[in-house]
Amino acid sequence: MALYLLYRGIRGRAYFARLPERFGFLPGSLQTTGSPAIWFHAVSVGEVLSAVELIRRLRAEQPNLSIFLSTTTLAGRAAAEQRLKGGVFFLPLDYRSFVRRVLRRLRPSAVVILETEIWPNLYRQTKRAGASLLIVNGRISDRSLPSYRRAAGFFRHALLWPDAIFTQSDEDSRRFVIAGAPEKSVSAAGNLKFDFNPPASGIKADIAAFFDRVQPQAIWIAASTMPAKRHGDPDEDDAVIDAFKAMGRPEVLLVLAPRHPTRFDVVAEKLVRSGFRFARRTALADAPDHVNVLLLDSIGELAALFERATVVFMGGTLSSCGGHNILEPAYFSKPVIAGPHMENFAEIAREFTAGDALLRIATSADLAKAVSNLLDDHEQRSRIGANARNLAMSRRGATDRIAAEILKYAGLAVPNPSRTLPARALLTTLSWLWRAGHRYNLSREPRSLSTKVVSIGALSMGGAGKTPVVAYLAERIFAAGKSPAILTRGYRRKSSQPIIVPRGETAGSDLTGDEAQIFIRAGHAHVGISSDRYAIGRELEAKLHPDIFLLDDGFQHTRLKRDLDIVLIDALDPLGGGVFPLGRLREPFANIARADAILITRVEPRQDTTGIENLFRRYNPSAPIHRCRTAPREWVRFAGPELEKPFHRVGAFCALGSPQSFWRTLETLSLEVDFRRAFRDHHPYSPSELGRLVAKASSQGVDALVTTEKDVMNLAVGASALFVNFPLYWLKIGV
């Protein structure tokens, strides 16, 4: 088993590129940004294109999804980076610690595997991290089936993990069951490749200009050509060059597109020896006006070129490689020639051949005649091309079906990635001591105030969004004509003395702490600050006679009796990784049974939270469940005049329990963030730290620095002088 996994991990040159990613060390830019995440894995360029189309549909449904795509090949990565704005990385080696490291960073709700990549540890750890696991566009070729049958005992264990396997056809479903997948988890959903759409940008301008300058009477595209795979196979590049020479048609332009980038220079040497005048796509500016061949030595541009083709030969079909996707040229009604090897697309090949939508040849010796016949016979060309398009268009729709299934299963997930085993063993022991202390606190008798008390708290430490929810409730209660008061401990304030700040009055952040300042500045509630919330509540009752108390972060404050407990749960991390210090939970999740109402925070519009709600109901069958998200309201200049024009390029910093939520908000505002800097929650900023942030922002030429209202409270005394000439803005948010 170890040798097998090692082979699967190191095969291919991609192992040597971005080596840290292969051990699970992803760049800092690859992390969740405060929104649900989905991780796709695709290998070949064709799989990447299918994944990109799925991603496009998912983002149309949920624009705030964080999307990541891993691959194991250089060509696949190049194609992904060309089509996605970020989130692309190499799949880590299939070892538990490497995979866990990535899962902890990305925190996906669903991991989606394209076609038949089976990685036992990735599968197992995905499910243990609470994410849904799906195989989509699944297929097992004729050539691969015997291997899967022989190793069914091995694959059966891995294929138990996926929640669902969506195959390309009923025959593929049958083969997955033979390989060991449970029959109930396998269903045919159609082939994603039928939903091919040409690149929106079309043919690149310089290639189009080249075609217009050369003005060929016909264009023959030899697509995704392959070298010999087995003894007796032809080298397809040699076969194409020989056929083109035998045809003797100088009025025809051959576009030769090798499948792998490692072949570009090899094929260029073949063309030099052939005597043909040729141009390389990467050097079109130097190309002469009269050439016979265009060598497409680039990645991701072939699909758009099919629109200009007269005839297409699909590579990988003369060499025993199993063939490549014929649906892209079919979309453009182009006649396709293929050799005998279409095992990777066996059902499509059978259907297209039977429907007079694909021309098959037996050997490379037949290639020149087949191309020439199609070039000479316009009626045959048109008939085969039209049949191919009709068949391709009639099978579309798999992308929409599978996108809906991905969102459904993502909604059923409860993400909870865990630590690696050595850390987990130690921290679990320490968490038992923490649990014992919490049980003791719960056993103490609480004291009651005369005024009703509503607690807004969380099971986890930091990042659940308690402060904006308390501010929101105070605003709504005040607008209803009542007089609310907020009880808070004033975390990390410099004074230990209890303090009361009546509504509309002010006090320094040294006396109140940063979060209490947000309540004070809002001006909707009296604020009482003390570690003893009962005592400060009694004092508030005597002096200001509030109608209701809002107990900030009070679910674990057992010394004060509450009339209503509202518990906040972060939709992105509901289980917090376990009880502290193993994770961020202050007490076991089962204790949500004490909640009178549950509020799921950081829920994106149209996000499905079924899985989290089902988890709640296991422990609390009756509490009402509500959902909320923070929403930006306005930017406020910290010091100095407002900018004359809106800012777009920014540097961002914050010290929050969940900095990803701020990063995500900046994304939703369409800001171009040049750099991000996260500090520890409640971090007090020194003049030197602020100076470095200003210097970095100035050197990178950004329009402004941006941060949160909470962070502004923690800026050093005199910080306004640093931001008179360089703007700092903070974001006012609501719920």
Side-chain angles (χ1 to χ4, degrees), residues 260-326:
H260 298 302
T262 54
R263 297 277 296 174
F264 292 160
D265 291 337
V266 174
V267 177
E269 287 296 323
K270 293 177 183 290
L271 288 170
V272 169
R273 292 195 298 270
S274 73
F276 285 123
R277 295 187 304 274
F278 75 97
R280 296 185 69 145
R281 187 272 173 267
T282 52
L284 280 184
D286 302 325
D289 291 338
H290 303 289
V291 299
N292 307 111
V293 182
L294 171 62
L295 175 59
L296 193 67
D297 57 346
S298 62
I299 295 294
E301 295 184 317
L302 176 61
L305 298 189
F306 287 129
E307 184 178 8
R308 292 287 193 101
T310 310
V311 176
V312 175
F313 162 68
M314 185 54 65
T317 61
L318 290 173
S319 177
S320 52
C321 298
H324 299 305
N325 183 16
I326 63 173

Side-chain angles (χ1 to χ4, degrees), residues 516-547:
Q517 276 293 312
I518 296 175
F519 306 141
I520 292 168
R521 289 162 61 113
H524 297 126
H526 310 303
V527 180
I529 307 166
S530 174
S531 59
D532 187 343
R533 260 65 64 88
Y534 171 76
I536 200 71
R538 289 288 301 272
E539 190 174 346
L540 269 164
E541 285 180 325
K543 292 182 177 180
L544 299 172
H545 313 293
D547 295 316

Side-chain angles (χ1 to χ4, degrees), residues 136-138 166-170 187-195 395 397-399 401-402:
V136 305
N137 220 39
F166 299 106
T167 63
Q168 298 181 10
S169 66
D170 291 332
S187 62
N191 191 334
L192 292 172
K193 291 183 171 64
F194 278 105
D195 291 327
R395 300 294 186 270
T399 300
R401 291 192 293 272
I402 292 174

Side-chain angles (χ1 to χ4, degrees), residues 687-707:
S688 60
E689 287 173 329
L690 297 175
R692 286 193 292 271
L693 287 169
V694 170
K696 183 171 184 177
S698 299
S699 66
Q700 295 191 202
V702 302
D703 301 326
L705 280 168
V706 294
T707 191

Side-chain angles (χ1 to χ4, degrees), residues 174-185:
R174 186 183 71 83
R175 293 179 179 187
F176 265 94
V177 173
I178 290 172
E183 189 171 354
K184 64 180 181 180
S185 68

Side-chain angles (χ1 to χ4, degrees), residues 606-628:
R606 292 181 283 183
Q607 179 184 345
D608 186 356
T609 56
T610 301
I612 300 173
E613 295 179 27
N614 289 342
L615 180 64
F616 295 159
R617 290 301 179 226
R618 288 169 52 188
Y619 304 105
N620 191 325
S622 59
I625 299 172
H626 302 272
R627 311 194 303 173
C628 77

